Amino acid sequence: MQQLLRSVVAQLFLQLLLVTAILGEDHYMRADFPADFVFGSGTSASQYEGAAFEDGRTPSIWDTFAHSGRTNGANGDVACDGYHKYKDDIGLMVDTGLEAFRFSISWSRLIPNGRGPINEKGLQYYNDLINELITHGIQPHFTLTHIDTPQALEDEDGGWLSREIVKDFLEFANVCFREFGDRVLHWTTINEANVASLGGYDEGAIAPAHCSRRPFCAKGDSTTEPYTVVHNMLLAHSAAAKLYKEKYKATQNGEVGINIYTLGIVPYSNSTEDVIAAQRARDFYFGWVINPLVFGDYPDTVKKRVQTRIPAFTEHESKQIKGSFDFIGSNHYTTVYVKDDPNTKRDIKDFYADMAVELIFGQSTGAPAEGYNVVPWGLKELLEYLKQAYGNPPIYIQENGQMTRRNATLNDTSRMEYLQAYIGSVLDAVRNGSNTKGYFVWTFLDCLELLSGYEKSFGLYYVDLDDEELKRYQKLSARWYSNFLKGKSSRLNAITQVKENVSLSL
């Protein structure tokens, strides 16, 4: 009787799921995307590699931050041990059907002092990683820095607060282009330039933990430092892009871009105040980085509100920055409604006080998600805005994924549903003329998360931290993504996988 009841419940659940899929979800396949559109997944050096003290690597600002106890007691000393296990992981990528893998280079592994001699063992590791990816037909998409500036540069000059880092970053980029550019065609200079600045120099929530709030941050000035950091990042990016164009592009034929964190932004109401506030939020979040790249200067809205606290570009710098990109990398997770907040009361005059808006997270479509609110239309709206405001530049969605609690439950249906919805929204945008070139799931493995340590996860694969070999296990979302990449229907694939999952659980 109990077995019969379970069977009836399972069948009712599957019928309900099938009806939901037919009525409420888009049906699409890999073949519906352009032939040159690329699908992949990614991670970063600090979150994946481990081997933090091996073979000549020195600490980065992220190591220092993590060892201060700010990431729930977690650190990247071992992480996923990708430094030793990358071949096995690339085997999983092949099984999954990944077309590309986005990864960052540990600056302090390749050039331990931030400038000067190259670490030959670090050089060998990245050469081996690149060669292994290419051997298996997987495009390497490399990011030069992902919130992990060498601690040596931070101690000596102040890291991104100093103009000296422009020269240091240029030399680092030159080494990477020279040593790896014959095989790496896709370069992102800086990951989330806007968030690296805000989190590290306004809020103190990530490395190097600067802010004006004492004693939360031991040092920093939130009124000016975020603007100085993004300014220096843009100078460093444009210098690296110029170097690549002049010295390497003719022979290597690659592309160079920069990455920003992007929210879907919509007005809270139709009031004039909220509509203006939403545009102001776009100018601060996106325009802060993209406007100089496209138009040669910061948005007028930003300059008028921040005034002398934001550095000014010289005529030469403006010319160098304008057009210094082949693509924009977008990290996107969810959407917010923006409400005007003209009477912002903050103890500190900083980015958020300058922006003067209230951010309200949008409601999920369907069942509430465990992590980010699922608002796939927000990504479509974002891509349309980037198309209209900036002349439809090439875009790679370099991070998109669902956060869940980190546990051994492999049936991550919320992540599967999230990916199905958001990839569908990308297809809608492409069909509407968006010049979006690729999509990367964040992340390939459960790894060290920069804000939550090992308590939260984004991975397609679970990593058992209690196992000496750090064994990897495929999740339901990985099966869904793999089947989609191998040509199956997004809808039928989802139904089939969940059906198998329910059968196994009863």
Side-chain angles (χ1 to χ4, degrees), residues 30 35 37-41 87 89-102 128-141 183 185-186 440 485:
R30 171 64 182 91
F37 193 98
V38 63
F39 281 96
S41 187
K87 287 187 178 181
D89 292 333
I90 291 173
L92 293 179
M93 295 176 203
V94 173
D95 292 342
T96 306
L98 289 195
E99 300 161 8
F101 182 55
R102 180 182 177 234
D128 291 344
L129 173 62
I130 293 165
N131 291 340
E132 190 74 11
L133 288 167
I134 291 175
T135 296
H136 290 88
I138 299 172
Q139 293 179 15
H141 286 237
R183 290 151 293 155
L185 301 180
H186 310 279
F440 292 75
L485 293 177

Tab-separated table of all heavy atoms in Angstrom, residues 30 35 37-41 87 89-102 128-141 183 185-186 440 485:
chain	number	residue	atom	x	y	z
A	30	ARG	N	20.569	23.549	-27.915
A	30	ARG	CA	21.882	24.138	-28.185
A	30	ARG	C	21.959	24.666	-29.618
A	30	ARG	O	22.541	25.732	-29.877
A	30	ARG	CB	22.985	23.081	-27.946
A	30	ARG	CG	24.396	23.486	-28.382
A	30	ARG	CD	24.896	24.661	-27.569
A	30	ARG	NE	26.217	25.117	-27.964
A	30	ARG	CZ	26.465	26.057	-28.860
A	30	ARG	NH1	25.452	26.624	-29.509
A	30	ARG	NH2	27.691	26.442	-29.132
A	35	ALA	N	26.211	29.419	-34.344
A	35	ALA	CA	27.254	28.386	-34.381
A	35	ALA	C	28.497	28.804	-33.609
A	35	ALA	O	29.183	27.954	-33.017
A	35	ALA	CB	27.616	28.066	-35.831
A	37	PHE	N	28.549	30.806	-30.980
A	37	PHE	CA	28.245	31.069	-29.574
A	37	PHE	C	28.899	29.985	-28.732
A	37	PHE	O	28.849	28.806	-29.069
A	37	PHE	CB	26.734	31.072	-29.366
A	37	PHE	CG	26.282	31.625	-28.041
A	37	PHE	CD1	25.857	32.937	-27.940
A	37	PHE	CD2	26.271	30.835	-26.897
A	37	PHE	CE1	25.428	33.468	-26.732
A	37	PHE	CE2	25.849	31.345	-25.683
A	37	PHE	CZ	25.428	32.669	-25.591
A	38	VAL	N	29.517	30.360	-27.610
A	38	VAL	CA	30.267	29.386	-26.818
A	38	VAL	C	29.631	29.219	-25.436
A	38	VAL	O	29.199	30.182	-24.800
A	38	VAL	CB	31.751	29.810	-26.674
A	38	VAL	CG1	31.895	31.128	-25.929
A	38	VAL	CG2	32.572	28.715	-26.013
A	39	PHE	N	29.538	27.973	-24.991
A	39	PHE	CA	29.042	27.643	-23.658
A	39	PHE	C	30.173	27.040	-22.825
A	39	PHE	O	30.938	26.215	-23.320
A	39	PHE	CB	27.895	26.627	-23.736
A	39	PHE	CG	26.576	27.229	-24.109
A	39	PHE	CD1	26.150	27.222	-25.430
A	39	PHE	CD2	25.765	27.808	-23.147
A	39	PHE	CE1	24.930	27.773	-25.787
A	39	PHE	CE2	24.542	28.363	-23.504
A	39	PHE	CZ	24.123	28.346	-24.820
A	40	GLY	N	30.237	27.470	-21.578
A	40	GLY	CA	31.272	26.932	-20.711
A	40	GLY	C	30.897	27.039	-19.255
A	40	GLY	O	29.739	27.194	-18.875
A	41	SER	N	31.912	26.958	-18.426
A	41	SER	CA	31.780	27.169	-16.989
A	41	SER	C	33.104	27.733	-16.508
A	41	SER	O	34.032	27.897	-17.303
A	41	SER	CB	31.433	25.857	-16.273
A	41	SER	OG	31.153	26.089	-14.906
A	87	LYS	N	43.890	17.814	-14.252
A	87	LYS	CA	43.679	16.854	-15.340
A	87	LYS	C	42.383	16.075	-15.120
A	87	LYS	O	41.615	15.843	-16.069
A	87	LYS	CB	44.862	15.907	-15.463
A	87	LYS	CG	46.101	16.547	-16.048
A	87	LYS	CD	47.195	15.513	-16.303
A	87	LYS	CE	48.415	16.161	-16.948
A	87	LYS	NZ	49.487	15.178	-17.223
A	89	ASP	N	39.837	17.122	-13.452
A	89	ASP	CA	38.725	18.053	-13.621
A	89	ASP	C	38.447	18.332	-15.094
A	89	ASP	O	37.291	18.477	-15.497
A	89	ASP	CB	39.011	19.356	-12.876
A	89	ASP	CG	39.001	19.157	-11.367
A	89	ASP	OD1	38.316	18.232	-10.900
A	89	ASP	OD2	39.687	19.925	-10.663
A	90	ILE	N	39.488	18.405	-15.890
A	90	ILE	CA	39.279	18.590	-17.332
A	90	ILE	C	38.595	17.363	-17.918
A	90	ILE	O	37.772	17.475	-18.838
A	90	ILE	CB	40.615	18.910	-18.024
A	90	ILE	CG1	41.091	20.307	-17.593
A	90	ILE	CG2	40.472	18.853	-19.549
A	90	ILE	CD1	42.473	20.678	-18.064
A	91	GLY	N	38.890	16.202	-17.366
A	91	GLY	CA	38.154	15.007	-17.777
A	91	GLY	C	36.668	15.135	-17.503
A	91	GLY	O	35.830	14.736	-18.335
A	92	LEU	N	36.310	15.723	-16.351
A	92	LEU	CA	34.896	15.963	-16.051
A	92	LEU	C	34.299	16.986	-17.012
A	92	LEU	O	33.135	16.875	-17.408
A	92	LEU	CB	34.745	16.459	-14.617
A	92	LEU	CG	35.088	15.474	-13.494
A	92	LEU	CD1	34.916	16.143	-12.133
A	92	LEU	CD2	34.239	14.219	-13.583
A	93	MET	N	35.094	17.979	-17.381
A	93	MET	CA	34.621	18.978	-18.342
A	93	MET	C	34.306	18.327	-19.683
A	93	MET	O	33.303	18.661	-20.327
A	93	MET	CB	35.677	20.071	-18.533
A	93	MET	CG	35.942	20.906	-17.308
A	93	MET	SD	37.291	22.091	-17.598
A	93	MET	CE	37.830	22.394	-15.914
A	94	VAL	N	35.148	17.414	-20.088
A	94	VAL	CA	34.911	16.689	-21.347
A	94	VAL	C	33.625	15.878	-21.244
A	94	VAL	O	32.783	15.884	-22.153
A	94	VAL	CB	36.110	15.777	-21.676
A	94	VAL	CG1	35.793	14.904	-22.896
A	94	VAL	CG2	37.357	16.613	-21.932
A	95	ASP	N	33.457	15.169	-20.120
A	95	ASP	CA	32.241	14.378	-19.923
A	95	ASP	C	30.994	15.262	-19.949
A	95	ASP	O	29.942	14.869	-20.469
A	95	ASP	CB	32.309	13.632	-18.593
A	95	ASP	CG	33.372	12.543	-18.581
A	95	ASP	OD1	33.810	12.126	-19.673
A	95	ASP	OD2	33.770	12.124	-17.474
A	96	THR	N	31.123	16.466	-19.401
A	96	THR	CA	29.994	17.395	-19.347
A	96	THR	C	29.689	17.984	-20.714
A	96	THR	O	28.547	18.354	-20.998
A	96	THR	CB	30.293	18.530	-18.342
A	96	THR	OG1	30.652	17.955	-17.081
A	96	THR	CG2	29.096	19.441	-18.163
A	97	GLY	N	30.707	18.073	-21.546
A	97	GLY	CA	30.529	18.666	-22.866
A	97	GLY	C	30.861	20.141	-22.920
A	97	GLY	O	30.425	20.842	-23.852
A	98	LEU	N	31.643	20.645	-21.947
A	98	LEU	CA	32.001	22.059	-21.963
A	98	LEU	C	32.750	22.415	-23.241
A	98	LEU	O	33.629	21.686	-23.680
A	98	LEU	CB	32.896	22.414	-20.768
A	98	LEU	CG	32.307	22.445	-19.361
A	98	LEU	CD1	33.267	23.172	-18.425
A	98	LEU	CD2	30.940	23.094	-19.323
A	99	GLU	N	32.403	23.558	-23.776
A	99	GLU	CA	33.095	24.068	-24.960
A	99	GLU	C	34.211	25.031	-24.572
A	99	GLU	O	35.134	25.280	-25.355
A	99	GLU	CB	32.096	24.776	-25.859
A	99	GLU	CG	30.977	23.865	-26.337
A	99	GLU	CD	29.752	24.613	-26.841
A	99	GLU	OE1	29.818	25.843	-26.972
A	99	GLU	OE2	28.738	23.956	-27.108
A	100	ALA	N	34.123	25.593	-23.355
A	100	ALA	CA	35.113	26.564	-22.900
A	100	ALA	C	35.197	26.513	-21.381
A	100	ALA	O	34.244	26.119	-20.692
A	100	ALA	CB	34.742	27.975	-23.360
A	101	PHE	N	36.356	26.935	-20.876
A	101	PHE	CA	36.571	27.008	-19.429
A	101	PHE	C	37.185	28.353	-19.109
A	101	PHE	O	38.218	28.726	-19.683
A	101	PHE	CB	37.495	25.879	-18.970
A	101	PHE	CG	37.750	25.846	-17.484
A	101	PHE	CD1	36.702	25.790	-16.585
A	101	PHE	CD2	39.053	25.859	-16.987
A	101	PHE	CE1	36.939	25.748	-15.212
A	101	PHE	CE2	39.296	25.823	-15.628
A	101	PHE	CZ	38.243	25.756	-14.730
A	102	ARG	N	36.517	29.104	-18.227
A	102	ARG	CA	37.023	30.406	-17.810
A	102	ARG	C	37.771	30.252	-16.492
A	102	ARG	O	37.236	29.695	-15.532
A	102	ARG	CB	35.878	31.408	-17.653
A	102	ARG	CG	36.368	32.776	-17.216
A	102	ARG	CD	35.237	33.759	-17.010
A	102	ARG	NE	35.768	35.031	-16.525
A	102	ARG	CZ	35.364	35.649	-15.427
A	102	ARG	NH1	34.405	35.134	-14.682
A	102	ARG	NH2	35.914	36.796	-15.060
A	128	ASP	N	50.761	23.797	-18.686
A	128	ASP	CA	50.185	22.450	-18.659
A	128	ASP	C	48.661	22.510	-18.668
A	128	ASP	O	47.998	21.715	-19.357
A	128	ASP	CB	50.673	21.694	-17.422
A	128	ASP	CG	52.158	21.351	-17.477
A	128	ASP	OD1	52.742	21.420	-18.573
A	128	ASP	OD2	52.721	21.027	-16.415
A	129	LEU	N	48.094	23.435	-17.890
A	129	LEU	CA	46.642	23.576	-17.836
A	129	LEU	C	46.081	23.955	-19.206
A	129	LEU	O	45.112	23.354	-19.690
A	129	LEU	CB	46.276	24.637	-16.796
A	129	LEU	CG	44.801	25.049	-16.703
A	129	LEU	CD1	43.930	23.866	-16.318
A	129	LEU	CD2	44.629	26.181	-15.690
A	130	ILE	N	46.707	24.940	-19.841
A	130	ILE	CA	46.252	25.376	-21.158
A	130	ILE	C	46.338	24.236	-22.164
A	130	ILE	O	45.401	23.973	-22.939
A	130	ILE	CB	47.088	26.580	-21.639
A	130	ILE	CG1	46.811	27.806	-20.769
A	130	ILE	CG2	46.803	26.897	-23.106
A	130	ILE	CD1	47.830	28.910	-20.940
A	131	ASN	N	47.461	23.551	-22.167
A	131	ASN	CA	47.663	22.454	-23.129
A	131	ASN	C	46.648	21.331	-22.917
A	131	ASN	O	46.145	20.741	-23.884
A	131	ASN	CB	49.084	21.915	-23.021
A	131	ASN	CG	50.120	22.904	-23.510
A	131	ASN	OD1	49.808	23.831	-24.259
A	131	ASN	ND2	51.362	22.741	-23.082
A	132	GLU	N	46.342	21.036	-21.664
A	132	GLU	CA	45.381	19.976	-21.371
A	132	GLU	C	43.992	20.368	-21.864
A	132	GLU	O	43.256	19.538	-22.435
A	132	GLU	CB	45.363	19.695	-19.871
A	132	GLU	CG	44.595	18.456	-19.472
A	132	GLU	CD	45.322	17.158	-19.797
A	132	GLU	OE1	46.516	17.204	-20.142
A	132	GLU	OE2	44.682	16.085	-19.699
A	133	LEU	N	43.608	21.624	-21.666
A	133	LEU	CA	42.316	22.086	-22.164
A	133	LEU	C	42.242	21.985	-23.680
A	133	LEU	O	41.268	21.451	-24.239
A	133	LEU	CB	42.081	23.541	-21.728
A	133	LEU	CG	41.778	23.791	-20.254
A	133	LEU	CD1	41.883	25.281	-19.926
A	133	LEU	CD2	40.394	23.265	-19.878
A	134	ILE	N	43.262	22.472	-24.354
A	134	ILE	CA	43.254	22.496	-25.814
A	134	ILE	C	43.282	21.086	-26.387
A	134	ILE	O	42.611	20.781	-27.384
A	134	ILE	CB	44.425	23.339	-26.335
A	134	ILE	CG1	44.185	24.814	-25.995
A	134	ILE	CG2	44.609	23.167	-27.840
A	134	ILE	CD1	45.326	25.716	-26.341
A	135	THR	N	44.038	20.208	-25.753
A	135	THR	CA	44.097	18.811	-26.203
A	135	THR	C	42.711	18.182	-26.230
A	135	THR	O	42.408	17.349	-27.092
A	135	THR	CB	45.024	17.997	-25.281
A	135	THR	OG1	46.350	18.510	-25.391
A	135	THR	CG2	45.014	16.519	-25.659
A	136	HIS	N	41.866	18.623	-25.300
A	136	HIS	CA	40.518	18.057	-25.205
A	136	HIS	C	39.464	18.944	-25.862
A	136	HIS	O	38.255	18.763	-25.637
A	136	HIS	CB	40.167	17.805	-23.745
A	136	HIS	CG	40.944	16.684	-23.128
A	136	HIS	ND1	42.166	16.860	-22.521
A	136	HIS	CD2	40.685	15.347	-23.058
A	136	HIS	CE1	42.614	15.704	-22.086
A	136	HIS	NE2	41.737	14.763	-22.390
A	137	GLY	N	39.918	19.906	-26.673
A	137	GLY	CA	38.982	20.698	-27.454
A	137	GLY	C	38.213	21.738	-26.672
A	137	GLY	O	37.123	22.158	-27.090
A	138	ILE	N	38.749	22.187	-25.541
A	138	ILE	CA	38.073	23.166	-24.697
A	138	ILE	C	38.802	24.501	-24.796
A	138	ILE	O	40.004	24.575	-24.572
A	138	ILE	CB	38.038	22.695	-23.226
A	138	ILE	CG1	37.278	21.369	-23.122
A	138	ILE	CG2	37.403	23.754	-22.328
A	138	ILE	CD1	37.346	20.729	-21.750
A	139	GLN	N	38.077	25.556	-25.150
A	139	GLN	CA	38.679	26.883	-25.268
A	139	GLN	C	39.084	27.408	-23.895
A	139	GLN	O	38.256	27.451	-22.984
A	139	GLN	CB	37.690	27.890	-25.860
A	139	GLN	CG	37.279	27.694	-27.280
A	139	GLN	CD	36.269	28.768	-27.703
A	139	GLN	OE1	36.090	29.784	-27.032
A	139	GLN	NE2	35.603	28.522	-28.823
A	140	PRO	N	40.326	27.853	-23.711
A	140	PRO	CA	40.681	28.546	-22.462
A	140	PRO	C	40.329	30.025	-22.535
A	140	PRO	O	40.737	30.722	-23.467
A	140	PRO	CB	42.201	28.341	-22.372
A	140	PRO	CG	42.653	28.120	-23.778
A	140	PRO	CD	41.492	27.594	-24.571
A	141	HIS	N	39.530	30.491	-21.587
A	141	HIS	CA	39.211	31.909	-21.448
A	141	HIS	C	39.844	32.377	-20.139
A	141	HIS	O	39.409	31.963	-19.061
A	141	HIS	CB	37.696	32.131	-21.406
A	141	HIS	CG	37.027	31.972	-22.732
A	141	HIS	ND1	36.260	32.966	-23.314
A	141	HIS	CD2	37.000	30.936	-23.613
A	141	HIS	CE1	35.799	32.544	-24.478
A	141	HIS	NE2	36.228	31.306	-24.686
A	183	ARG	N	48.159	30.202	-27.577
A	183	ARG	CA	47.074	29.233	-27.392
A	183	ARG	C	45.827	29.838	-26.752
A	183	ARG	O	44.731	29.315	-26.917
A	183	ARG	CB	47.577	28.076	-26.505
A	183	ARG	CG	48.604	27.170	-27.208
A	183	ARG	CD	49.550	26.550	-26.198
A	183	ARG	NE	50.398	27.583	-25.589
A	183	ARG	CZ	50.967	27.472	-24.395
A	183	ARG	NH1	50.782	26.391	-23.663
A	183	ARG	NH2	51.727	28.446	-23.932
A	185	LEU	N	43.175	32.755	-26.667
A	185	LEU	CA	42.664	33.789	-27.560
A	185	LEU	C	41.668	34.722	-26.873
A	185	LEU	O	41.243	35.710	-27.481
A	185	LEU	CB	41.993	33.153	-28.775
A	185	LEU	CG	42.883	32.242	-29.627
A	185	LEU	CD1	42.078	31.675	-30.794
A	185	LEU	CD2	44.104	32.982	-30.119
A	186	HIS	N	41.289	34.414	-25.633
A	186	HIS	CA	40.253	35.188	-24.951
A	186	HIS	C	40.790	35.643	-23.599
A	186	HIS	O	40.968	34.846	-22.683
A	186	HIS	CB	38.988	34.345	-24.772
A	186	HIS	CG	38.527	33.676	-26.039
A	186	HIS	ND1	37.785	34.334	-27.000
A	186	HIS	CD2	38.733	32.425	-26.512
A	186	HIS	CE1	37.531	33.506	-27.999
A	186	HIS	NE2	38.104	32.341	-27.733
A	440	PHE	N	28.709	31.383	-19.512
A	440	PHE	CA	29.483	30.527	-18.619
A	440	PHE	C	28.741	30.343	-17.296
A	440	PHE	O	28.394	31.328	-16.637
A	440	PHE	CB	30.858	31.150	-18.336
A	440	PHE	CG	31.783	31.181	-19.522
A	440	PHE	CD1	31.581	32.101	-20.547
A	440	PHE	CD2	32.835	30.294	-19.634
A	440	PHE	CE1	32.422	32.136	-21.648
A	440	PHE	CE2	33.685	30.323	-20.731
A	440	PHE	CZ	33.474	31.242	-21.738
A	485	LEU	N	24.048	20.686	-23.682
A	485	LEU	CA	25.209	20.919	-24.538
A	485	LEU	C	25.356	19.831	-25.603
A	485	LEU	O	25.913	20.081	-26.677
A	485	LEU	CB	26.486	20.985	-23.691
A	485	LEU	CG	26.593	22.182	-22.739
A	485	LEU	CD1	27.866	22.081	-21.902
A	485	LEU	CD2	26.568	23.495	-23.511
